[in-house]
Amino acid sequence: QVQLVQSGAEVKKPGSSVKVSCKASGGTFSSYTISWVRQAPGQGLEWMGRIIPILGIANYAQKFQGRVTITADKSTSTAYMELSSLRSEDTAVYYCARTIAVAGVDYFDYWGQGTLVTVSS
Amino acid sequence: SYVLTQPPSVSVAPGQTARITCGGNNIGSKSVHWYQQKPGQAPVLVVYDDSDRPSGIPERFSGSNSGNTATLTISRVEAGDEADYYCQVWDSSSDYVFGTGTKVTVL
């Protein structure tokens, strides 16, 4: 059984950066794809980007290009999402999710518990 | 960019059938997935690849997809099914796209 456990809530100032972690257990981390999805208060789900740890390759949603960096540490089975130049609109719950991507069938089968990031002066 | 449209809300009496639609241009040519999200919790996958259920998801949850509309059907609705539901596809120009979400209320 795959489990994804995320780091705790953060409060950040506008203009700063935040780094959220996602530690995986169960399965083979290196063979996963891990995505990050966020949800602003009362809003829907928004995909930010993903990483394939075995390849070390990340790709990002156009909206977040240049502001988000997703990395992975295979030795600790942990993925990270760093978002910079924070603004109030980045206040949201950030989720990591294992991503299945096979022959055009792409979905998220396991999710972390979420990390609330609050951006406030 | 690719857009998925869902009705904001659906209300259903216990024991009845709820149908949640997800509209998108030629969505029938894509693989559609559905998530259930209860307040304060992470989303849970309930249907993948149009109509398959993950292990542990009741048979009451089913999906279909054709033309410009995909549908999640919840049969014999229970109070515990009250939640937000999101559809999702992958699109070559938009990457992972989620629907606008539907709040299911059990009367």
Side-chain angles (χ1 to χ4, degrees), chain A residues 39 43-45 47 50 95 99 104-109 111-112, chain B residues 31 33 35 37 41-43 45 48-49 86 88 90 95-96 98:
Chain A
Q39 185 172 39
Q43 302 300 307
L45 301 168
W47 181 76
R50 67 180 181 181
Y95 295 101
T99 308
V105 180
D106 296 65
Y107 59 93
F108 312 103
D109 61 347
W111 296 67
Chain B
S31 179
H33 322 290
Y35 304 88
Q37 186 180 32
Q41 298 185 19
L45 179 71
Y48 67 96
D49 198 12
Y86 294 90
Q88 175 255 313
W90 184 84
D95 289 312
Y96 297 89
F98 289 96

PDB file of all heavy atoms in Angstrom, chain A residues 39 43-45 47 50 95 99 104-109 111-112, chain B residues 31 33 35 37 41-43 45 48-49 86 88 90 95-96 98:
ATOM      1  N   GLN A  39      -5.002  23.456  -4.261  1.00  0.00           N
ATOM      2  CA  GLN A  39      -6.426  23.799  -4.149  1.00  0.00           C
ATOM      3  C   GLN A  39      -6.559  25.032  -3.270  1.00  0.00           C
ATOM      4  O   GLN A  39      -6.343  24.974  -2.057  1.00  0.00           O
ATOM      5  CB  GLN A  39      -7.211  22.633  -3.568  1.00  0.00           C
ATOM      6  CG  GLN A  39      -8.712  22.843  -3.526  1.00  0.00           C
ATOM      7  CD  GLN A  39      -9.435  21.572  -3.118  1.00  0.00           C
ATOM      8  OE1 GLN A  39      -8.985  20.816  -2.251  1.00  0.00           O
ATOM      9  NE2 GLN A  39     -10.578  21.306  -3.754  1.00  0.00           N
ATOM     10  N   GLN A  43     -11.954  26.484  -3.782  1.00  0.00           N
ATOM     11  CA  GLN A  43     -11.776  26.367  -5.228  1.00  0.00           C
ATOM     12  C   GLN A  43     -11.494  24.930  -5.651  1.00  0.00           C
ATOM     13  O   GLN A  43     -11.471  24.016  -4.817  1.00  0.00           O
ATOM     14  CB  GLN A  43     -10.629  27.272  -5.685  1.00  0.00           C
ATOM     15  CG  GLN A  43     -10.826  28.742  -5.340  1.00  0.00           C
ATOM     16  CD  GLN A  43     -12.073  29.315  -5.967  1.00  0.00           C
ATOM     17  OE1 GLN A  43     -12.288  29.219  -7.170  1.00  0.00           O
ATOM     18  NE2 GLN A  43     -12.926  29.929  -5.150  1.00  0.00           N
ATOM     19  N   GLY A  44     -11.277  24.734  -6.946  1.00  0.00           N
ATOM     20  CA  GLY A  44     -11.037  23.420  -7.493  1.00  0.00           C
ATOM     21  C   GLY A  44      -9.572  23.016  -7.462  1.00  0.00           C
ATOM     22  O   GLY A  44      -8.724  23.684  -6.857  1.00  0.00           O
ATOM     23  N   LEU A  45      -9.288  21.918  -8.140  1.00  0.00           N
ATOM     24  CA  LEU A  45      -7.947  21.333  -8.156  1.00  0.00           C
ATOM     25  C   LEU A  45      -7.162  21.852  -9.361  1.00  0.00           C
ATOM     26  O   LEU A  45      -7.712  21.996 -10.453  1.00  0.00           O
ATOM     27  CB  LEU A  45      -8.063  19.808  -8.225  1.00  0.00           C
ATOM     28  CG  LEU A  45      -8.829  19.169  -7.064  1.00  0.00           C
ATOM     29  CD1 LEU A  45      -9.140  17.709  -7.375  1.00  0.00           C
ATOM     30  CD2 LEU A  45      -8.032  19.279  -5.768  1.00  0.00           C
ATOM     31  N   TRP A  47      -3.336  21.330 -11.326  1.00  0.00           N
ATOM     32  CA  TRP A  47      -2.064  20.615 -11.455  1.00  0.00           C
ATOM     33  C   TRP A  47      -0.926  21.602 -11.645  1.00  0.00           C
ATOM     34  O   TRP A  47      -1.026  22.528 -12.453  1.00  0.00           O
ATOM     35  CB  TRP A  47      -2.132  19.660 -12.633  1.00  0.00           C
ATOM     36  CG  TRP A  47      -0.907  18.850 -12.864  1.00  0.00           C
ATOM     37  CD1 TRP A  47      -0.493  17.752 -12.154  1.00  0.00           C
ATOM     38  CD2 TRP A  47       0.094  19.061 -13.876  1.00  0.00           C
ATOM     39  NE1 TRP A  47       0.689  17.269 -12.660  1.00  0.00           N
ATOM     40  CE2 TRP A  47       1.075  18.048 -13.711  1.00  0.00           C
ATOM     41  CE3 TRP A  47       0.269  19.999 -14.890  1.00  0.00           C
ATOM     42  CZ2 TRP A  47       2.191  17.948 -14.532  1.00  0.00           C
ATOM     43  CZ3 TRP A  47       1.373  19.912 -15.715  1.00  0.00           C
ATOM     44  CH2 TRP A  47       2.330  18.895 -15.527  1.00  0.00           C
ATOM     45  N   ARG A  50       5.139  17.767 -12.279  1.00  0.00           N
ATOM     46  CA  ARG A  50       5.405  16.395 -11.883  1.00  0.00           C
ATOM     47  C   ARG A  50       6.880  16.075 -12.052  1.00  0.00           C
ATOM     48  O   ARG A  50       7.594  16.787 -12.764  1.00  0.00           O
ATOM     49  CB  ARG A  50       4.580  15.422 -12.727  1.00  0.00           C
ATOM     50  CG  ARG A  50       4.982  15.392 -14.193  1.00  0.00           C
ATOM     51  CD  ARG A  50       4.147  14.415 -15.004  1.00  0.00           C
ATOM     52  NE  ARG A  50       4.568  14.395 -16.410  1.00  0.00           N
ATOM     53  CZ  ARG A  50       4.006  13.654 -17.346  1.00  0.00           C
ATOM     54  NH1 ARG A  50       3.000  12.860 -17.047  1.00  0.00           N
ATOM     55  NH2 ARG A  50       4.458  13.686 -18.573  1.00  0.00           N
ATOM     56  N   TYR A  95      -1.081  19.392  -2.522  1.00  0.00           N
ATOM     57  CA  TYR A  95      -1.082  17.940  -2.434  1.00  0.00           C
ATOM     58  C   TYR A  95      -0.007  17.355  -3.337  1.00  0.00           C
ATOM     59  O   TYR A  95       0.173  17.826  -4.465  1.00  0.00           O
ATOM     60  CB  TYR A  95      -2.416  17.360  -2.905  1.00  0.00           C
ATOM     61  CG  TYR A  95      -3.622  17.699  -2.073  1.00  0.00           C
ATOM     62  CD1 TYR A  95      -4.508  18.694  -2.479  1.00  0.00           C
ATOM     63  CD2 TYR A  95      -3.915  16.990  -0.909  1.00  0.00           C
ATOM     64  CE1 TYR A  95      -5.644  18.999  -1.739  1.00  0.00           C
ATOM     65  CE2 TYR A  95      -5.046  17.281  -0.161  1.00  0.00           C
ATOM     66  CZ  TYR A  95      -5.899  18.283  -0.581  1.00  0.00           C
ATOM     67  OH  TYR A  95      -7.025  18.574   0.161  1.00  0.00           O
ATOM     68  N   THR A  99       1.273   9.498  -9.671  1.00  0.00           N
ATOM     69  CA  THR A  99       0.680   9.692 -10.979  1.00  0.00           C
ATOM     70  C   THR A  99       0.905   8.451 -11.830  1.00  0.00           C
ATOM     71  O   THR A  99       2.042   8.008 -12.002  1.00  0.00           O
ATOM     72  CB  THR A  99       1.332  10.910 -11.669  1.00  0.00           C
ATOM     73  OG1 THR A  99       1.271  12.033 -10.775  1.00  0.00           O
ATOM     74  CG2 THR A  99       0.608  11.246 -12.952  1.00  0.00           C
ATOM     75  N   GLY A 104      -1.555   7.061 -22.508  1.00  0.00           N
ATOM     76  CA  GLY A 104      -2.635   8.026 -22.575  1.00  0.00           C
ATOM     77  C   GLY A 104      -3.630   7.950 -21.441  1.00  0.00           C
ATOM     78  O   GLY A 104      -4.611   8.701 -21.423  1.00  0.00           O
ATOM     79  N   VAL A 105      -3.407   7.045 -20.520  1.00  0.00           N
ATOM     80  CA  VAL A 105      -4.270   6.939 -19.334  1.00  0.00           C
ATOM     81  C   VAL A 105      -3.478   7.525 -18.163  1.00  0.00           C
ATOM     82  O   VAL A 105      -2.594   6.877 -17.611  1.00  0.00           O
ATOM     83  CB  VAL A 105      -4.669   5.475 -19.060  1.00  0.00           C
ATOM     84  CG1 VAL A 105      -5.569   5.408 -17.821  1.00  0.00           C
ATOM     85  CG2 VAL A 105      -5.381   4.893 -20.273  1.00  0.00           C
ATOM     86  N   ASP A 106      -3.784   8.757 -17.807  1.00  0.00           N
ATOM     87  CA  ASP A 106      -2.981   9.503 -16.834  1.00  0.00           C
ATOM     88  C   ASP A 106      -3.866   9.953 -15.686  1.00  0.00           C
ATOM     89  O   ASP A 106      -4.754  10.796 -15.880  1.00  0.00           O
ATOM     90  CB  ASP A 106      -2.380  10.754 -17.500  1.00  0.00           C
ATOM     91  CG  ASP A 106      -1.414  10.407 -18.614  1.00  0.00           C
ATOM     92  OD1 ASP A 106      -1.864   9.835 -19.625  1.00  0.00           O
ATOM     93  OD2 ASP A 106      -0.213  10.721 -18.480  1.00  0.00           O
ATOM     94  N   TYR A 107      -3.611   9.479 -14.488  1.00  0.00           N
ATOM     95  CA  TYR A 107      -4.436   9.835 -13.349  1.00  0.00           C
ATOM     96  C   TYR A 107      -3.636   9.718 -12.061  1.00  0.00           C
ATOM     97  O   TYR A 107      -2.480   9.303 -12.073  1.00  0.00           O
ATOM     98  CB  TYR A 107      -5.694   8.955 -13.282  1.00  0.00           C
ATOM     99  CG  TYR A 107      -5.418   7.469 -13.168  1.00  0.00           C
ATOM    100  CD1 TYR A 107      -5.359   6.846 -11.932  1.00  0.00           C
ATOM    101  CD2 TYR A 107      -5.240   6.693 -14.311  1.00  0.00           C
ATOM    102  CE1 TYR A 107      -5.107   5.486 -11.832  1.00  0.00           C
ATOM    103  CE2 TYR A 107      -4.979   5.331 -14.225  1.00  0.00           C
ATOM    104  CZ  TYR A 107      -4.924   4.736 -12.985  1.00  0.00           C
ATOM    105  OH  TYR A 107      -4.672   3.398 -12.886  1.00  0.00           O
ATOM    106  N   PHE A 108      -4.278  10.091 -10.945  1.00  0.00           N
ATOM    107  CA  PHE A 108      -3.620  10.163  -9.640  1.00  0.00           C
ATOM    108  C   PHE A 108      -4.273   9.144  -8.714  1.00  0.00           C
ATOM    109  O   PHE A 108      -5.436   9.291  -8.354  1.00  0.00           O
ATOM    110  CB  PHE A 108      -3.763  11.581  -9.065  1.00  0.00           C
ATOM    111  CG  PHE A 108      -3.404  12.656 -10.067  1.00  0.00           C
ATOM    112  CD1 PHE A 108      -4.395  13.376 -10.706  1.00  0.00           C
ATOM    113  CD2 PHE A 108      -2.078  12.934 -10.372  1.00  0.00           C
ATOM    114  CE1 PHE A 108      -4.075  14.354 -11.639  1.00  0.00           C
ATOM    115  CE2 PHE A 108      -1.753  13.907 -11.301  1.00  0.00           C
ATOM    116  CZ  PHE A 108      -2.750  14.618 -11.948  1.00  0.00           C
ATOM    117  N   ASP A 109      -3.513   8.104  -8.343  1.00  0.00           N
ATOM    118  CA  ASP A 109      -4.152   7.033  -7.584  1.00  0.00           C
ATOM    119  C   ASP A 109      -3.934   7.112  -6.071  1.00  0.00           C
ATOM    120  O   ASP A 109      -4.768   6.597  -5.307  1.00  0.00           O
ATOM    121  CB  ASP A 109      -3.745   5.646  -8.118  1.00  0.00           C
ATOM    122  CG  ASP A 109      -2.260   5.370  -8.020  1.00  0.00           C
ATOM    123  OD1 ASP A 109      -1.466   6.316  -7.772  1.00  0.00           O
ATOM    124  OD2 ASP A 109      -1.877   4.195  -8.205  1.00  0.00           O
ATOM    125  N   TRP A 111      -2.810   9.936  -2.864  1.00  0.00           N
ATOM    126  CA  TRP A 111      -2.608  11.346  -2.541  1.00  0.00           C
ATOM    127  C   TRP A 111      -2.026  11.505  -1.141  1.00  0.00           C
ATOM    128  O   TRP A 111      -2.347  10.725  -0.230  1.00  0.00           O
ATOM    129  CB  TRP A 111      -3.943  12.096  -2.593  1.00  0.00           C
ATOM    130  CG  TRP A 111      -4.588  12.151  -3.943  1.00  0.00           C
ATOM    131  CD1 TRP A 111      -5.110  11.122  -4.661  1.00  0.00           C
ATOM    132  CD2 TRP A 111      -4.789  13.327  -4.736  1.00  0.00           C
ATOM    133  NE1 TRP A 111      -5.619  11.578  -5.847  1.00  0.00           N
ATOM    134  CE2 TRP A 111      -5.446  12.931  -5.921  1.00  0.00           C
ATOM    135  CE3 TRP A 111      -4.494  14.685  -4.558  1.00  0.00           C
ATOM    136  CZ2 TRP A 111      -5.800  13.839  -6.933  1.00  0.00           C
ATOM    137  CZ3 TRP A 111      -4.840  15.584  -5.548  1.00  0.00           C
ATOM    138  CH2 TRP A 111      -5.488  15.161  -6.730  1.00  0.00           C
ATOM    139  N   GLY A 112      -1.204  12.533  -0.978  1.00  0.00           N
ATOM    140  CA  GLY A 112      -0.795  12.919   0.361  1.00  0.00           C
ATOM    141  C   GLY A 112      -1.944  13.586   1.088  1.00  0.00           C
ATOM    142  O   GLY A 112      -3.005  13.844   0.498  1.00  0.00           O
TER     143      GLY A 112
ATOM    144  N   SER B  31      -9.318   9.576 -21.958  1.00  0.00           N
ATOM    145  CA  SER B  31      -9.534   8.744 -20.792  1.00  0.00           C
ATOM    146  C   SER B  31      -9.911   9.651 -19.616  1.00  0.00           C
ATOM    147  O   SER B  31      -9.182  10.591 -19.296  1.00  0.00           O
ATOM    148  CB  SER B  31      -8.247   7.964 -20.476  1.00  0.00           C
ATOM    149  OG  SER B  31      -8.408   7.168 -19.331  1.00  0.00           O
ATOM    150  N   HIS B  33     -11.152  10.358 -15.597  1.00  0.00           N
ATOM    151  CA  HIS B  33     -11.002   9.849 -14.242  1.00  0.00           C
ATOM    152  C   HIS B  33     -11.808  10.720 -13.288  1.00  0.00           C
ATOM    153  O   HIS B  33     -12.009  11.914 -13.550  1.00  0.00           O
ATOM    154  CB  HIS B  33      -9.516   9.850 -13.848  1.00  0.00           C
ATOM    155  CG  HIS B  33      -8.633   9.461 -14.992  1.00  0.00           C
ATOM    156  ND1 HIS B  33      -8.593   8.174 -15.509  1.00  0.00           N
ATOM    157  CD2 HIS B  33      -7.808  10.200 -15.770  1.00  0.00           C
ATOM    158  CE1 HIS B  33      -7.774   8.142 -16.534  1.00  0.00           C
ATOM    159  NE2 HIS B  33      -7.277   9.357 -16.723  1.00  0.00           N
ATOM    160  N   TYR B  35     -12.721  11.816  -9.094  1.00  0.00           N
ATOM    161  CA  TYR B  35     -12.259  11.877  -7.717  1.00  0.00           C
ATOM    162  C   TYR B  35     -13.385  12.359  -6.812  1.00  0.00           C
ATOM    163  O   TYR B  35     -14.162  13.235  -7.192  1.00  0.00           O
ATOM    164  CB  TYR B  35     -11.067  12.835  -7.573  1.00  0.00           C
ATOM    165  CG  TYR B  35      -9.933  12.469  -8.495  1.00  0.00           C
ATOM    166  CD1 TYR B  35      -9.890  12.961  -9.795  1.00  0.00           C
ATOM    167  CD2 TYR B  35      -8.918  11.611  -8.085  1.00  0.00           C
ATOM    168  CE1 TYR B  35      -8.869  12.606 -10.654  1.00  0.00           C
ATOM    169  CE2 TYR B  35      -7.892  11.253  -8.946  1.00  0.00           C
ATOM    170  CZ  TYR B  35      -7.886  11.751 -10.229  1.00  0.00           C
ATOM    171  OH  TYR B  35      -6.866  11.403 -11.087  1.00  0.00           O
ATOM    172  N   GLN B  37     -14.021  14.117  -3.086  1.00  0.00           N
ATOM    173  CA  GLN B  37     -13.316  14.860  -2.041  1.00  0.00           C
ATOM    174  C   GLN B  37     -14.295  15.307  -0.971  1.00  0.00           C
ATOM    175  O   GLN B  37     -15.194  16.103  -1.237  1.00  0.00           O
ATOM    176  CB  GLN B  37     -12.581  16.077  -2.617  1.00  0.00           C
ATOM    177  CG  GLN B  37     -11.716  16.773  -1.571  1.00  0.00           C
ATOM    178  CD  GLN B  37     -10.974  17.980  -2.119  1.00  0.00           C
ATOM    179  OE1 GLN B  37     -11.444  18.674  -3.014  1.00  0.00           O
ATOM    180  NE2 GLN B  37      -9.770  18.231  -1.596  1.00  0.00           N
ATOM    181  N   GLN B  41     -10.463  16.804   3.461  1.00  0.00           N
ATOM    182  CA  GLN B  41      -9.721  15.594   3.110  1.00  0.00           C
ATOM    183  C   GLN B  41      -9.127  15.700   1.709  1.00  0.00           C
ATOM    184  O   GLN B  41      -9.550  16.524   0.899  1.00  0.00           O
ATOM    185  CB  GLN B  41     -10.636  14.367   3.179  1.00  0.00           C
ATOM    186  CG  GLN B  41     -11.197  14.101   4.564  1.00  0.00           C
ATOM    187  CD  GLN B  41     -12.008  12.816   4.614  1.00  0.00           C
ATOM    188  OE1 GLN B  41     -11.896  11.934   3.756  1.00  0.00           O
ATOM    189  NE2 GLN B  41     -12.833  12.695   5.646  1.00  0.00           N
ATOM    190  N   ALA B  42      -8.144  14.833   1.453  1.00  0.00           N
ATOM    191  CA  ALA B  42      -7.564  14.762   0.120  1.00  0.00           C
ATOM    192  C   ALA B  42      -8.526  14.059  -0.830  1.00  0.00           C
ATOM    193  O   ALA B  42      -9.378  13.274  -0.401  1.00  0.00           O
ATOM    194  CB  ALA B  42      -6.239  13.999   0.175  1.00  0.00           C
ATOM    195  N   PRO B  43      -8.414  14.337  -2.115  1.00  0.00           N
ATOM    196  CA  PRO B  43      -9.240  13.617  -3.091  1.00  0.00           C
ATOM    197  C   PRO B  43      -8.956  12.121  -3.064  1.00  0.00           C
ATOM    198  O   PRO B  43      -7.846  11.690  -2.715  1.00  0.00           O
ATOM    199  CB  PRO B  43      -8.812  14.231  -4.433  1.00  0.00           C
ATOM    200  CG  PRO B  43      -8.259  15.570  -4.083  1.00  0.00           C
ATOM    201  CD  PRO B  43      -7.593  15.376  -2.743  1.00  0.00           C
ATOM    202  N   LEU B  45      -9.519   8.688  -5.620  1.00  0.00           N
ATOM    203  CA  LEU B  45      -9.878   8.203  -6.948  1.00  0.00           C
ATOM    204  C   LEU B  45     -11.032   7.210  -6.827  1.00  0.00           C
ATOM    205  O   LEU B  45     -10.930   6.228  -6.094  1.00  0.00           O
ATOM    206  CB  LEU B  45      -8.652   7.523  -7.580  1.00  0.00           C
ATOM    207  CG  LEU B  45      -8.820   6.917  -8.959  1.00  0.00           C
ATOM    208  CD1 LEU B  45      -8.967   8.021 -10.015  1.00  0.00           C
ATOM    209  CD2 LEU B  45      -7.627   6.022  -9.293  1.00  0.00           C
ATOM    210  N   TYR B  48     -11.404   5.314 -12.793  1.00  0.00           N
ATOM    211  CA  TYR B  48     -10.325   5.684 -13.698  1.00  0.00           C
ATOM    212  C   TYR B  48     -10.562   5.064 -15.066  1.00  0.00           C
ATOM    213  O   TYR B  48     -11.306   4.082 -15.198  1.00  0.00           O
ATOM    214  CB  TYR B  48      -8.956   5.291 -13.131  1.00  0.00           C
ATOM    215  CG  TYR B  48      -8.710   3.801 -13.021  1.00  0.00           C
ATOM    216  CD1 TYR B  48      -8.026   3.111 -14.014  1.00  0.00           C
ATOM    217  CD2 TYR B  48      -9.170   3.087 -11.912  1.00  0.00           C
ATOM    218  CE1 TYR B  48      -7.806   1.751 -13.917  1.00  0.00           C
ATOM    219  CE2 TYR B  48      -8.956   1.724 -11.804  1.00  0.00           C
ATOM    220  CZ  TYR B  48      -8.270   1.068 -12.805  1.00  0.00           C
ATOM    221  OH  TYR B  48      -8.049  -0.288 -12.701  1.00  0.00           O
ATOM    222  N   ASP B  49      -9.933   5.643 -16.058  1.00  0.00           N
ATOM    223  CA  ASP B  49     -10.051   5.155 -17.439  1.00  0.00           C
ATOM    224  C   ASP B  49     -11.517   4.943 -17.828  1.00  0.00           C
ATOM    225  O   ASP B  49     -11.903   3.850 -18.268  1.00  0.00           O
ATOM    226  CB  ASP B  49      -9.244   3.867 -17.608  1.00  0.00           C
ATOM    227  CG  ASP B  49      -8.960   3.556 -19.088  1.00  0.00           C
ATOM    228  OD1 ASP B  49      -9.187   4.452 -19.938  1.00  0.00           O
ATOM    229  OD2 ASP B  49      -8.536   2.433 -19.379  1.00  0.00           O
ATOM    230  N   TYR B  86     -14.774  15.565  -8.829  1.00  0.00           N
ATOM    231  CA  TYR B  86     -14.043  16.205  -9.917  1.00  0.00           C
ATOM    232  C   TYR B  86     -13.723  15.175 -11.006  1.00  0.00           C
ATOM    233  O   TYR B  86     -13.260  14.079 -10.701  1.00  0.00           O
ATOM    234  CB  TYR B  86     -12.716  16.776  -9.406  1.00  0.00           C
ATOM    235  CG  TYR B  86     -12.854  17.916  -8.436  1.00  0.00           C
ATOM    236  CD1 TYR B  86     -12.929  17.683  -7.060  1.00  0.00           C
ATOM    237  CD2 TYR B  86     -12.915  19.230  -8.885  1.00  0.00           C
ATOM    238  CE1 TYR B  86     -13.049  18.730  -6.164  1.00  0.00           C
ATOM    239  CE2 TYR B  86     -13.033  20.283  -7.991  1.00  0.00           C
ATOM    240  CZ  TYR B  86     -13.111  20.021  -6.630  1.00  0.00           C
ATOM    241  OH  TYR B  86     -13.242  21.059  -5.751  1.00  0.00           O
ATOM    242  N   GLN B  88     -11.311  14.455 -14.482  1.00  0.00           N
ATOM    243  CA  GLN B  88      -9.939  14.827 -14.857  1.00  0.00           C
ATOM    244  C   GLN B  88      -9.541  14.077 -16.114  1.00  0.00           C
ATOM    245  O   GLN B  88      -9.904  12.911 -16.292  1.00  0.00           O
ATOM    246  CB  GLN B  88      -8.975  14.494 -13.719  1.00  0.00           C
ATOM    247  CG  GLN B  88      -7.496  14.727 -14.015  1.00  0.00           C
ATOM    248  CD  GLN B  88      -6.742  13.441 -14.251  1.00  0.00           C
ATOM    249  OE1 GLN B  88      -6.852  12.483 -13.510  1.00  0.00           O
ATOM    250  NE2 GLN B  88      -5.926  13.410 -15.309  1.00  0.00           N
ATOM    251  N   TRP B  90      -6.126  13.957 -19.223  1.00  0.00           N
ATOM    252  CA  TRP B  90      -4.834  14.470 -19.666  1.00  0.00           C
ATOM    253  C   TRP B  90      -4.995  14.925 -21.110  1.00  0.00           C
ATOM    254  O   TRP B  90      -5.569  14.215 -21.945  1.00  0.00           O
ATOM    255  CB  TRP B  90      -3.749  13.398 -19.561  1.00  0.00           C
ATOM    256  CG  TRP B  90      -2.390  13.951 -19.927  1.00  0.00           C
ATOM    257  CD1 TRP B  90      -1.533  14.625 -19.122  1.00  0.00           C
ATOM    258  CD2 TRP B  90      -1.778  13.908 -21.218  1.00  0.00           C
ATOM    259  NE1 TRP B  90      -0.407  15.000 -19.822  1.00  0.00           N
ATOM    260  CE2 TRP B  90      -0.530  14.571 -21.109  1.00  0.00           C
ATOM    261  CE3 TRP B  90      -2.152  13.371 -22.449  1.00  0.00           C
ATOM    262  CZ2 TRP B  90       0.327  14.715 -22.181  1.00  0.00           C
ATOM    263  CZ3 TRP B  90      -1.290  13.515 -23.517  1.00  0.00           C
ATOM    264  CH2 TRP B  90      -0.063  14.180 -23.371  1.00  0.00           C
ATOM    265  N   ASP B  95      -1.835  19.444 -20.487  1.00  0.00           N
ATOM    266  CA  ASP B  95      -1.398  18.526 -19.440  1.00  0.00           C
ATOM    267  C   ASP B  95      -2.599  18.023 -18.649  1.00  0.00           C
ATOM    268  O   ASP B  95      -3.617  17.697 -19.226  1.00  0.00           O
ATOM    269  CB  ASP B  95      -0.340  19.174 -18.545  1.00  0.00           C
ATOM    270  CG  ASP B  95       0.985  19.344 -19.257  1.00  0.00           C
ATOM    271  OD1 ASP B  95       1.450  18.370 -19.873  1.00  0.00           O
ATOM    272  OD2 ASP B  95       1.556  20.449 -19.196  1.00  0.00           O
ATOM    273  N   TYR B  96      -2.491  17.989 -17.315  1.00  0.00           N
ATOM    274  CA  TYR B  96      -3.563  17.433 -16.495  1.00  0.00           C
ATOM    275  C   TYR B  96      -4.618  18.513 -16.247  1.00  0.00           C
ATOM    276  O   TYR B  96      -4.308  19.586 -15.734  1.00  0.00           O
ATOM    277  CB  TYR B  96      -2.998  16.932 -15.167  1.00  0.00           C
ATOM    278  CG  TYR B  96      -2.010  15.805 -15.348  1.00  0.00           C
ATOM    279  CD1 TYR B  96      -0.657  16.068 -15.526  1.00  0.00           C
ATOM    280  CD2 TYR B  96      -2.434  14.480 -15.369  1.00  0.00           C
ATOM    281  CE1 TYR B  96       0.253  15.038 -15.714  1.00  0.00           C
ATOM    282  CE2 TYR B  96      -1.532  13.446 -15.553  1.00  0.00           C
ATOM    283  CZ  TYR B  96      -0.184  13.735 -15.733  1.00  0.00           C
ATOM    284  OH  TYR B  96       0.708  12.714 -15.919  1.00  0.00           O
ATOM    285  N   PHE B  98      -8.478  19.379 -14.633  1.00  0.00           N
ATOM    286  CA  PHE B  98      -9.574  18.982 -13.749  1.00  0.00           C
ATOM    287  C   PHE B  98     -10.845  19.724 -14.143  1.00  0.00           C
ATOM    288  O   PHE B  98     -10.800  20.867 -14.620  1.00  0.00           O
ATOM    289  CB  PHE B  98      -9.253  19.323 -12.289  1.00  0.00           C
ATOM    290  CG  PHE B  98      -8.183  18.453 -11.692  1.00  0.00           C
ATOM    291  CD1 PHE B  98      -6.856  18.869 -11.667  1.00  0.00           C
ATOM    292  CD2 PHE B  98      -8.498  17.225 -11.131  1.00  0.00           C
ATOM    293  CE1 PHE B  98      -5.870  18.074 -11.103  1.00  0.00           C
ATOM    294  CE2 PHE B  98      -7.524  16.427 -10.565  1.00  0.00           C
ATOM    295  CZ  PHE B  98      -6.199  16.847 -10.553  1.00  0.00           C
TER     296      PHE B  98
END
